[in-house]
């Protein structure tokens, strides 16, 4: 059975995007970028909601070919492009770069994917992750909490029907002031 991990940059007040889908506050430092790149390398399959896919897909497939790309961006771009991905959307009609599109029941498909043999899966996008949270499918939460208050926007956590009890697995502070925390779901 695969492990499902939900992780994103989050403001101190709990948002992954400020009003207007502004993520300018979450531009990662070199250390944070390396953390996410290492996590990507350890991931077998990435699951994306539509909005996050539409944020990532215009840039990362060709990031390694950009004239100003740093070595870290080149490495991340190649990893991202080459890894297996699933996009869940009823409005997107085409995906590329080792990606499969699912237009049906996301929770049923995520449940099926979790039951397969394989390495860890990451899930990204507030709406998709929220559905997985409510279904009790997320095994680990990874928060890269930035020292910024954005006052509103898209929350990291969705409204839940029941409590989700967690165990703290890791806490680390990066030189840029971002606090990394990992929690496992208590089963």
């Amino acid at each position: 059975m695969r492990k499902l991990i939900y992780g994103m940059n989050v403001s101190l007040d709990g948002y992954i995007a400020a009003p207007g889908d502004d993520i300018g506050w979450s531009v990662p430092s070199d250390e944070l970028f390396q953390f996410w790149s290492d996590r990507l390398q350890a991931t077998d399959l990435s699951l994306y909601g539509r909005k996050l896919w539409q944020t990532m897909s215009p840039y990362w497939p060709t990031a390694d070919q950009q004239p100003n790309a740093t070595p870290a961006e080149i490495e991340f771009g190649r990893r991202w492009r080459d890894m297996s991905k699933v996009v869940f959307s009823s409005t997107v009609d085409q995906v590329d770069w080792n990606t499969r599109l699912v237009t049906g029941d996301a929770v049923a498909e995520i449940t099926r994917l979790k039951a397969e043999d394989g390495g860890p899966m990451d899930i990204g996008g507030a709406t998709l992750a929220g559905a997985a949270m409510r279904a009790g499918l997320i095994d680990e939460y990874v928060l890269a909490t930035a020292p910024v208050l954005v006052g509103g926007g898209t929350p990291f956590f969705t409204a839940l029907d029941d409590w989700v009890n967690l165990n703290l697995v890791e806490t680390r502070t990066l030189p840029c002031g971002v606090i990394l925390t990992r929690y496992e779901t208590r089963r």
Side-chain angles (χ1 to χ4, degrees):
M1 178 173 251
R2 289 175 157 172
K3 183 179 199 178
L4 183 60
I5 303 164
Y6 175 39
M8 295 190 78
N9 295 336
V10 60
S11 66
L12 184 60
D13 52 350
Y15 297 96
I16 59 173
D21 292 330
D22 183 356
I23 58 172
W25 58 270
S26 69
V27 175
S29 65
D30 291 342
E31 300 89 1
L32 181 57
F33 193 81
Q34 189 61 54
F35 170 80
W36 288 122
S37 187
D38 291 346
R39 289 205 56 89
L40 186 67
Q41 184 176 18
T43 300
D44 191 45
L45 178 65
S46 282
L47 312 179
Y48 287 94
R50 177 193 54 81
K51 280 176 112 176
L52 185 58
W53 171 255
Q54 290 175 329
T55 298
M56 301 284 282
S57 64
Y59 181 75
W60 289 112
T62 59
D64 61 334
Q65 300 162 23
Q66 302 303 315
N68 302 2
T70 66
E73 289 173 326
I74 290 169
E75 177 183 40
F76 185 90
R78 287 179 181 161
R79 286 177 182 168
W80 186 89
R81 182 183 58 231
D82 295 342
M83 75 176 309
S84 296
K85 297 172 283 299
V86 177
V87 172
F88 294 85
S89 175
S90 60
T91 58
V92 170
D93 57 5
Q94 184 177 342
V95 294
D96 210 344
W97 311 290
N98 294 322
T99 306
R100 180 171 62 89
L101 179 63
V102 173
T103 59
D105 185 341
V107 170
E109 180 63 8
I110 294 167
T111 301
R112 187 190 72 73
L113 290 168
K114 274 193 70 159
E116 293 179 345
D117 289 333
M121 299 186 305
D122 278 350
I123 187 168
T127 302
L128 181 63
M133 266 187 249
R134 284 187 299 282
L137 296 173
I138 297 182
D139 301 298
E140 184 176 315
Y141 296 84
V142 179
L143 290 82
T145 306
V148 62
L149 302 171
V150 299
T154 305
F156 180 83
F157 292 105
T158 187
L160 298 172
D161 301 325
D162 295 304
W163 292 6
V164 177
N165 293 307
L166 307 170
N167 291 321
L168 179 64
V169 180
E170 178 185 8
T171 300
R172 184 171 20 145
T173 303
L174 298 180
C176 63
V178 168
I179 298 174
L180 299 172
T181 49
R182 288 181 41 235
Y183 297 89
E184 288 182 346
T185 302
R186 243 187 268 161
R187 305 256 187 227

